[in-house]
């Protein structure tokens, strides 16, 4: 991927409110376990060759340019990260280019990704996210501007997108070719349309079709919940790397399982409840260390606790306590009451995260009438940036 050489073709998808510094570190630590440390210390080119990419939460270009303190805090680097991987979201070409310039000039990113895959209605109804590639001129201007700024310091750029708005309005092939011509080093595809949202099954055949059309690497995303899923996607589609999203929520060790399988290493044994609790404790410590406020850290941990304990025999009263946990000591006390020997439940190994039903595409009025953006639509796009998105 340009100057980046990945020892393992695995990528943590950016997920709003999930892929913060503590969670990225956990995923990366598990992803590096199956490998010889000597391999990871050998730099073939550029940065020390990482065992994958672990992308931080999406950041909004407008917030960066306007100096939003919380957005800049999110960019605080993890000193252990070999590659600082940032996903940008925006709908204004000038703002996106300026955000890219700020990131590379301040040496805060070794890799930039752009989000054109968010299906959230509040974003797409204003022309952002998965709706944006329909407007070819706007999309081209954004991609070209970001690549131009990143190229000044040799920072590789990737894009992530969906198949299209729906089956009658496919955008992936044109958008991918534009991105390749602009100089991106890889294209990621979540193999669903905006209409599908997160429902049904990802259509991996679209990843295979995209791979046939591009010279740059293709990153496959959608419905990878196990090491077998990752291997099958790569075998069926020919994609160069797999992007892991919902499948790792509450299961950062999924990266160890996938990397071990791809490297033909022995499969790790699924963790029992006691081992899961130890991961939770480490996650909580990292969260406190990162945020510096115990109450805030525990509030952030609450959603993770539900994912970690999915399928385990944890009573309703205990789950309610965990949903209100406010101190680090309280968390340890509650976890100590659980049956540490309980094996990992089979139900927790399958699909997880949001799914729901397909959603009628929410778009600006008249959005599909032309492939170019009007002045009126440009004014609307400014509002889309204010709302941000949630990954793709």
């Amino acid at each position: 991927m340009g100057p980046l050489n990945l020892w393992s073709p695995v990528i943590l998808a950016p997920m709003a409110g999930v892929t913060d510094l503590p969670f990225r570190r956990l995923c990366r630590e598990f992803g590096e376990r199956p490998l010889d440390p000597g391999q990871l210390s050998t730099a073939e080119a550029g940065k020390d060759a990482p065992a994958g990419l672990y992308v931080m939460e999406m950041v909004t270009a407008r917030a960066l340019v306007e100096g939003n303190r919380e957005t800049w805090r999110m960019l605080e680097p993890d000193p252990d990260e070999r590659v600082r991987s940032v996903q940008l979201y925006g709908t204004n070409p000038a703002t996106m280019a300026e955000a890219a310039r700020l990131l590379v000039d301040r040496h805060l990113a070794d890799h930039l990704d752009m989000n054109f895959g968010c299906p959230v209605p509040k974003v797409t109804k204003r022309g952002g996210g998965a709706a944006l590639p329909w407007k070819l001129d706007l999309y081209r201007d954004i991609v070209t501007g970001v690549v131009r700024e990143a190229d000044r310091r040799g920072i590789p750029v990737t894009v992530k997108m969906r198949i299209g708005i729906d089956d009658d309005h496919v955008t992936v092939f044109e958008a991918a070719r534009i991105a390749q011509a602009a100089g991106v080093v890889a294209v990621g595809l979540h193999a669903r349309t905006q209409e599908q949202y997160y429902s049904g099954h990802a259509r991996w055949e679209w990843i295979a079709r995209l791979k046939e059309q591009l010279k740059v690497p293709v990153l496959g995303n959608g419905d990878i919940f196990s090491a077998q899923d990752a291997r099958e996607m790569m075998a069926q589609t020919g994609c160069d790397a797999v992007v892991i999203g919902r499948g790792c929520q509450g299961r950062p060790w999924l990266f160890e399982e996938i990397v071990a399988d791809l490297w033909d290493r022995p499969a790790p044994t699924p963790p029992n409840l006691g081992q899961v609790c130890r991961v939770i404790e480490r996650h909580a410590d990292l969260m406190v260390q990162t945020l510096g406020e115990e109450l805030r850290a525990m509030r952030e941990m609450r959603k993770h606790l539900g994912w970690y304990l999915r399928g385990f025999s944890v009573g309703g009263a205990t789950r309610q306590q965990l949903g209100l946990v406010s101190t680090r000591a309280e968390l340890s006390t509650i976890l100590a009451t659980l049956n540490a020997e309980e094996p990992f439940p089979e139900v927790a190994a399958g699909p997880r995260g949001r799914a729901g039903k397909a959603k009628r595409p929410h778009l600006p009025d008249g959005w599909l009438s032309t492939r170019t953006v009007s002045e009126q639509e440009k004014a609307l796009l400014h509002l889309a940036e204010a709302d941000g998105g949630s990954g793709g």
Side-chain angles (χ1 to χ4, degrees), residues 78-114:
D78 182 342
D80 292 337
E81 283 181 313
R82 288 181 171 82
V83 175
R84 294 161 300 173
S85 188
V86 179
Q87 189 188 65
L88 272 178
Y89 166 81
T91 57
N92 182 295
T95 305
M96 284 286 283
E98 175 64 9
R101 185 191 68 79
L102 290 171
L103 289 171
V104 300
D105 284 353
R106 297 184 187 186
H107 306 286
L108 289 171
D110 303 303
H111 160 244
L112 290 178
D113 183 56
M114 284 183 277

Side-chain angles (χ1 to χ4, degrees), residues 4 7 10 18 72 79 81 92 160-161 173 250 260 296 338 366 386 389:
L4 299 177
W7 280 102
V10 292
V18 179
W72 281 102
E81 283 181 313
N92 182 295
K160 184 183 178 185
M161 59 189 67
F173 300 125
R296 183 181 175 191
L338 304 181

Side-chain angles (χ1 to χ4, degrees), residues 143-363:
V143 174
T144 301
V146 170
V147 171
R148 181 182 64 248
E149 292 297 331
D151 271 354
R152 291 188 300 105
R153 297 191 180 273
I155 303 300
V157 177
T158 58
V159 294
K160 184 183 178 185
M161 59 189 67
R162 287 195 171 221
I163 294 169
I165 293 171
D166 54 33
D167 287 346
D168 294 324
H169 300 89
V170 170
T171 58
V172 59
F173 300 125
E174 287 172 298
R177 287 193 293 269
I178 289 171
Q180 179 175 259
V184 303
V185 301
V187 174
L189 175 61
H190 184 156
R192 285 181 169 87
T193 62
Q194 175 190 332
E195 181 181 47
Q196 281 184 272
Y197 210 67
Y198 296 95
S199 67
H201 297 286
R203 295 182 282 175
W204 291 357
E205 66 272 16
W206 286 85
I207 300 173
R209 291 176 61 187
L210 181 62
K211 178 63 182 172
E212 292 172 354
Q213 298 191 27
L214 296 185
K215 295 179 181 178
V216 297
V218 171
L219 319 175
N221 179 212
D223 292 356
I224 297 179
F225 300 107
S226 68
Q228 182 179 355
D229 291 337
R231 182 180 284 270
E232 287 182 357
M233 175 186 278
M234 297 190 78
Q236 291 179 27
T237 70
C239 68
D240 300 276
V242 292
V243 182
I244 316 301
R246 295 173 294 156
C248 68
Q249 291 178 352
R251 287 192 305 179
W253 53 85
L254 179 60
F255 286 90
E256 181 181 9
E257 297 171 358
I258 291 173
V259 172
D261 184 73
L262 294 177
W263 277 75
D264 295 319
R265 300 291 198 263
T269 303
N272 62 24
L273 183 51
Q275 291 167 321
V276 170
C277 287
R278 286 196 288 275
V279 176
I280 292 174
E281 300 257 21
R282 172 151 173 74
H283 192 164
D285 287 339
L286 289 171
M287 193 70 80
V288 173
Q289 176 184 333
T290 300
L291 296 179
E293 300 176 24
E294 189 173 19
L295 176 58
R296 183 181 175 191
M298 292 305 99
R299 284 175 173 168
E300 286 295 317
M301 281 298 299
R302 291 170 185 173
K303 58 178 175 287
H304 292 280
L305 296 174
W307 293 329
Y308 276 119
L309 299 175
R310 180 188 175 197
F312 282 105
S313 299
V314 178
T318 301
R319 290 185 184 275
Q320 185 176 23
Q321 285 181 299
L322 289 168
L324 298 172
V325 67
S326 58
T327 69
R328 180 68 182 81
E330 182 184 4
L331 175 62
S332 291
T333 298
I334 298 171
L335 294 179
T337 67
L338 304 181
N339 176 13
E341 301 303 317
E342 183 180 347
F344 192 78
E346 186 174 337
V347 66
R352 55 178 50 212
R354 54 188 172 185
K357 299 179 180 179
K359 298 179 183 289
R360 179 180 61 82
H362 288 70
L363 303 166

